[in-house]
Amino acid sequence: MPRRKKPLVVKEHEELTDLSTDELKGLKEFAQENQHDVPGNYRPVLQDRNGKLFAGNYVGIIETGKRTVLEILPKVDFVHDDEDKSETKRIFYSMLRTWRGFKSQAVFNETQINAVRRFNMLEVFVHLFLNNLVMLTQRGIARHYQSVEDNLPCLRGRILFPQHIRENASNRARFCVRYDEFSANRPANRLIHSTIDKLTGTVRQPRNQQLLHQLRVSFSDISTSTDHHSDWNRHRVDRTIRHYDAVMQWVGLFLFNQGLTTYAGKHVNQALLFPMWEIFEDYVAASFRRHQGDYSVRKQGPQEYLVTDGQERRVFAMKPDISLMSGNKPEFILDTKWKRVNAEDGDLKRGVHQADMYQMFVYGKKYCCRKVSLIYPKSQEFDKTEEFRFDEALSLTCCPFDVTEPECSVKKIIRHLKNHA
């Protein structure tokens, strides 16, 4: 089947349309194989509803075994974008820099983001991996001493007498020996070579193809990995090869989806999918750390328990998304929600889910806060703060967070929290 010239582009929760019969079949097979992000947790990438496919709550790219490329973008309109959504992608990549799944060395800088914003997502991540790998080769491919046994026409290292007598009794021109060789044939390098091989048949962007060709030459003397999992378990990035750190994170991503939810099966070539609820939470937390100094920022804590059982054991742990701390005490509890709030006229709830209100009420009471806040992404439908009061001692504010202007958003939220606490 011929490959699509361009990826099929949709947003989270949108229906996948304009698919051929084969493309629809391949994506349905992928959806059927990947219904849970972890065992027992139903969070599908694609949902099949009455024969129609809809995107889930992940952003990224899927390439099926039938060469269909599906690109899923964030559902919130960050900006008035052009046809190829390059500005939306640029902002998404900027948010991705703070995501917990990436180490700091492996992420984009602003120059790289602007250079690749018009690529499809797979080509973008491949490009970042290749740039890291070029820098690695410039610093030097790591080598180590490994023991080698061989039957050589010259004496090298130490003679293995039992083997030598057995093999060379009638041939005095050869020697069975063991010696140490300074070799680049180590697990990390074999895995890198395997990743280059895998991507060679996938990428279409000319610059990426050129880099792959150059790097294949650099690793041509190193064998590919014959057992990916064994080599992955054996490889180590120690202090002598710190420059491998970022590259090996990408190797884990491309070979195993390490750091991401694992998507696999015979119907998919590559799936790089990022959980937007985590990315938004991490981006908001990083923005509060960077753009205000009145409070220390604590993520996923401090931990408290909702109740104790009959034997005074604490159960039902609570870990707020973000706590703004004054010393050891949470002054304000913030909970991020990657949801599109759409309050209709006359809706007293302003589009806020009831379960979210219950959650924030419990946080406020348990942590003895006077103010708690739900943080939603800013959109055309939700661009101003909404205020609720539980009682005289506790109130809640629903705040829009503009991901294109994080500093301004942080200052507005802090000001509102202080003025209404």
Side-chain angles (χ1 to χ4, degrees), residues 59-177:
V59 169
I61 195 159
I62 302 167
E63 182 179 12
T64 71
K66 297 184 178 181
R67 314 298 287 180
T68 302
V69 178
L70 173 66
E71 199 169 80
I72 305 173
L73 299 180
K75 63 177 176 285
V76 174
D77 293 317
F78 299 138
V79 288
H80 179 68
D81 215 344
D82 48 15
E83 185 178 349
D84 65 5
K85 303 294 183 185
S86 63
E87 186 63 12
T88 292
K89 292 178 186 177
R90 184 191 69 79
I91 295 166
F92 168 67
Y93 298 143
S94 294
M95 294 175 68
L96 198 57
R97 294 169 65 187
T98 62
W99 179 52
R100 71 194 71 172
F102 278 147
K103 296 177 182 177
S104 59
Q105 309 96 301
V107 297
F108 306 83
N109 59 45
E110 289 297 332
T111 302
Q112 290 171 320
I113 289 174
N114 287 322
V116 300
R117 57 194 274 187
R118 295 186 184 277
F119 293 6
N120 79 48
M121 284 190 181
L122 180 58
E123 298 284 358
V124 168
F125 298 125
V126 170
H127 190 76
L128 185 55
F129 161 67
L130 296 177
N131 281 341
N132 277 288
L133 189 50
V134 167
M135 289 188 287
L136 181 151
T137 59
Q138 290 171 347
R139 294 186 61 179
I141 295 176
R143 300 172 183 272
H144 67 165
Y145 285 101
Q146 60 182 19
S147 181
V148 179
E149 294 184 4
D150 205 351
N151 195 4
L152 301 178
C154 60
L155 182 60
R156 183 180 181 184
R158 183 160 57 90
I159 296 179
L160 301 174
F161 283 102
Q163 295 94 316
H164 177 67
I165 293 170
R166 183 173 62 250
E167 298 290 336
N168 300 321
S170 60
N171 185 0
R172 297 185 178 182
R174 300 192 72 84
F175 302 88
C176 282
V177 295

